[in-house]
Amino acid sequence: MMLRKIRLTLAVLFFICTTLLFLDFTGSVHRWLGWMAKIQFLPALLAVNVGVVLLLVAMTLVFGRIYCSVICPLGVFQDIVSWISGKRKKNRFRYSKALNRLRYGVLTVFVVAMIAGVGSFAALLAPYSSYGRMAANLFAPVYQWGNNLLAYLAERADSYAFYTVDVWIKSVPTLAVAAVTFAAVIILAWRGGRTYCNTVCPVGTVLGFLAKYSWLKPVIDTSKCNGCGLCARNCKASCINPKEHAIDYSRCVACMDCINKCRQGAIRYIHPTKLQTAENAQPGANDTKASQDQVSNARRSFLTSTALLATISVVKAQEKKVDGGLAVIQDKKIPKRGTPLTPPGSLSAHNMAQHCTACQLCVSACPNQVLRPSTDLLKLMQPEMSYERGYCRPECTHCSDVCPAGAIRPITKADKSAIQIGHAVWIKKNCIPLTDGVECGNCARHCPTGAIQMVPSDPAAENSPKIPAVNTERCIGCGACENLCPARPFSAIYVEGHEVHRTV
């Protein structure tokens, strides 16, 4: 069936492109495909992206849950696993009643967690974020190791088409959560197809409620159905009741598999009232022609909506950005900060906690290796900043460019240079001029805002070792001083975060 082929083609394209957003370490993919993260349902809702939310709702009310079968990467990933499992055992599904108490119970807990600001719990259930953590923590290292192998081979051939990248674990707890999620989704999809989507996923529950009222649906023509049950045995949503010739549209993801498997042509993707009209009419050539016209109209409507979604999304794509290059990697230990650092554009720690779904897209996109998932239970897996491997370059706005949920608002390079996310604090006992008796001044030389000046340690002795003096009014908390300080294992100067950012 043509509609099924179209759906499969679009689903594969969306899945590959969305996955590349988490694998890419050059920043080039985000320039062209960053909009795909911003049309995901929950991030668009949290970002109050009204246009995208209304478009997804309208598509669901017209076509059913095509978001789940085409756009959502976790949904497509389950389909891939289910397809592989189906090679081993065919016709393996059967109808099961909807677990509505569990579905709506999980949705209620999810909403309460989001309102209460317990983002770490909500992030565990969000489908796009769950897939993002899997891609960033499990798929990306393999992709990067492959790149490093190619770089090694290219170097031996006197070619510099590839360059090596540093592969490191940004957070052990986040890696563990990603691994458990990966295993759970595979087991559920291998055994039951779309079990996760129709019992756990809060987005699936919301869209499922809307899909019950969709205009176009797979409808069973009882006059043609012979009761073989082949449709139900191939329904990965387990939503077709062959005995009653009924379909639970709240769980149907419009995958079109049932239509493709039906040998009698008894299932059609149309508006239910059209089938009733056709059944009441006299059979004949005109009926056949009308049926063909209905299918053609449904196909044209599907293609028109898909083209509209793609056009609007491309128009909303972000402009190209140029990053500031990779920061110098330093072997240091993380200082104990009283207040964690959140990225410029996040406005405050509260805004970050309220909007972030911990999808790891900003962590993957950071070229300076400054962002990493938090290990704090209340903000588990949400990004925070640390400067052991690099510093937050004033000319880099990658994280604000890619964030789809409004946790990090879009900012310009000029904006970033004026946003104070924290301030530098000097630690006397670690400073090399005082401990080793040598000149340094690294922090002052590399401060992009000129907030650090070297002054004599003894005001009465002009020739005494010079130490840094920090102007906290000018410091923006970029971490250049902390990252480039030669003191080990802890820097002699570090950045203390601010709960609420301000403009300097």
Side-chain angles (χ1 to χ4, degrees):
M1 182 183 177
M2 183 59 67
L3 283 180
R4 182 173 180 272
K5 292 180 179 178
I6 293 172
R7 183 196 70 79
L8 289 174
T9 301
L10 291 175
V12 170
L13 287 175
F14 268 91
F15 180 75
I16 292 175
C17 293
T18 304
T19 302
L20 285 175
L21 292 177
F22 295 92
L23 304 184
D24 176 51
F25 52 80
T26 65
S28 56
V29 172
H30 288 278
R31 300 175 187 176
W32 303 104
L33 302 177
W35 56 270
M36 286 192 169
K38 298 182 180 181
I39 62 171
Q40 300 296 326
F41 187 82
L42 184 60
L45 186 65
L46 292 176
V48 198
N49 195 335
V50 178
V52 172
V53 172
L54 291 179
L55 179 62
L56 294 176
V57 168
M59 289 176 59
T60 304
L61 289 174
V62 175
F63 302 106
R65 288 174 57 181
I66 60 170
Y67 168 85
C68 300
S69 58
V70 175
I71 300 176
C72 177
L74 189 64
V76 179
F77 177 73
Q78 292 174 80
D79 285 349
I80 294 173
V81 174
S82 180
W83 175 74
I84 296 173
S85 175
K87 294 294 183 180
R88 181 182 60 87
K89 182 179 179 181
K90 299 183 181 298
N91 302 326
R92 60 199 178 90
F93 300 116
R94 61 186 178 85
Y95 172 73
S96 62
K97 293 184 178 181
L99 302 176
N100 288 327
R101 289 186 179 180
L102 176 60
R103 296 168 70 191
Y104 289 105
V106 171
L107 176 62
T108 301
V109 173
F110 177 83
V111 172
V112 171
M114 291 297 296
I115 295 175
V118 188
S120 56
F121 178 81
L124 293 174
L125 302 175
Y128 167 73
S129 300
S130 296
Y131 181 78
R133 287 190 295 276
M134 288 160 46
N137 292 276
L138 303 178
F139 305 160
V142 176
Y143 179 81
Q144 292 165 355
W145 282 325
N147 169 82
N148 290 349
L149 176 61
L150 291 175
Y152 174 81
L153 297 175
E155 184 181 354
R156 296 298 178 273
D158 293 328
S159 171
Y160 295 94
F162 300 90
Y163 61 90
T164 59
V165 294
D166 190 18
V167 184
W168 58 293
I169 298 176
K170 298 179 175 67
S171 170
V172 174
T174 301
L175 175 62
V177 170
V180 171
T181 303
F182 180 72
V185 170
I186 285 185
I187 292 172
L188 291 174
W190 187 272
R191 299 183 61 183
R194 287 286 188 134
T195 302
Y196 178 90
C197 292
N198 288 327
T199 56
V200 178
C201 179
V203 174
T205 301
V206 171
L207 295 181
F209 176 80
L210 298 175
K212 292 190 294 185
Y213 309 100
S214 63
W215 178 257
L216 298 175
K217 304 172 180 177
V219 181
I220 300 175
D221 186 344
T222 55
S223 65
K224 295 182 179 180
C225 179
N226 64 357
C228 69
L230 193 60
C231 55
R233 295 199 299 272
N234 286 275
C235 177
K236 56 197 170 190
S238 300
C239 65
I240 301 178
N241 187 343
K243 294 182 180 179
E244 299 182 4
H245 300 90
I247 299 176
D248 182 354
Y249 295 112
S250 70
R251 291 185 288 162
C252 176
V253 294
C255 67
M256 315 294 178
D257 286 352
C258 56
I259 301 177
N260 183 62
K261 290 293 182 179
C262 183
R263 298 168 183 170
Q264 310 300 321
I267 304 180
R268 288 183 287 170
Y269 186 62
I270 58 174
H271 185 56
T273 56
K274 291 186 178 181
L275 180 62
Q276 295 172 3
T277 302
E279 289 177 344
N280 293 332
Q282 292 295 325
N286 291 334
D287 293 337
T288 302
K289 185 175 184 298
S291 176
Q292 293 174 345
D293 290 342
Q294 291 165 355
V295 173
S296 298
N297 290 334
R299 183 180 303 163
R300 282 193 293 269
S301 299
F302 184 89
L303 292 173
T304 300
S305 176
T306 303
L308 178 62
L309 171 61
T311 303
I312 292 177
S313 301
V314 170
V315 169
K316 290 179 175 291
Q318 300 294 307
E319 295 181 355
K320 299 180 182 180
K321 303 289 182 182
V322 180
D323 62 70
L326 293 176
V328 178
I329 299 176
Q330 299 290 330
D331 184 17
K332 294 188 176 185
K333 291 186 178 180
I334 302 175
K336 186 176 181 180
R337 309 182 202 275
T339 303
L341 292 158
T342 58
S346 60
L347 305 181
S348 65
H350 177 72
N351 181 75
M352 173 66 76
Q354 287 290 108
H355 291 83
C356 181
T357 63
C359 71
Q360 310 298 302
L361 188 57
C362 60
V363 176
S364 300
C366 179
N368 304 312
Q369 304 192 59
V370 168
L371 292 178
R372 61 201 62 186
S374 173
T375 56
D376 185 341
L377 283 178
L378 292 178
K379 299 176 293 183
L380 186 65
M381 301 180 294
Q382 294 184 355
E384 63 182 23
M385 307 174 72
S386 200
Y387 302 125
E388 292 71 53
R389 292 174 173 264
Y391 66 93
C392 192
R393 295 179 178 265
E395 69 272 18
C396 175
T397 58
H398 274 49
C399 58
S400 71
D401 294 338
V402 304
C403 179
I408 308 175
R409 309 283 175 151
I411 57 174
T412 64
K413 295 176 184 178
D415 293 333
K416 184 175 179 181
S417 297
I419 295 175
Q420 187 182 66
I421 63 173
H423 65 276
V425 177
W426 178 59
I427 306 299
K428 181 179 179 179
K429 65 179 181 180
N430 295 340
C431 197
I432 285 180
L434 299 181
T435 59
D436 296 351
V438 296
E439 292 186 5
C440 182
N442 238 20
C443 52
R445 282 194 298 273
H446 293 93
C447 180
T449 62
I452 302 177
Q453 301 294 326
M454 300 302 292
V455 299
S457 55
D458 184 357
E462 190 65 28
N463 295 327
S464 61
K466 291 188 177 181
I467 58 175
V470 180
N471 183 346
T472 56
E473 295 300 317
R474 297 185 63 177
C475 177
I476 59 175
C478 69
C481 56
E482 179 181 330
N483 174 249
L484 298 172
C485 176
R488 294 294 186 278
F490 293 101
S491 296
I493 191 166
Y494 79 98
V495 179
E496 184 63 48
H498 290 174
E499 283 283 348
V500 179
H501 298 175
R502 66 186 184 93
T503 302
V504 296

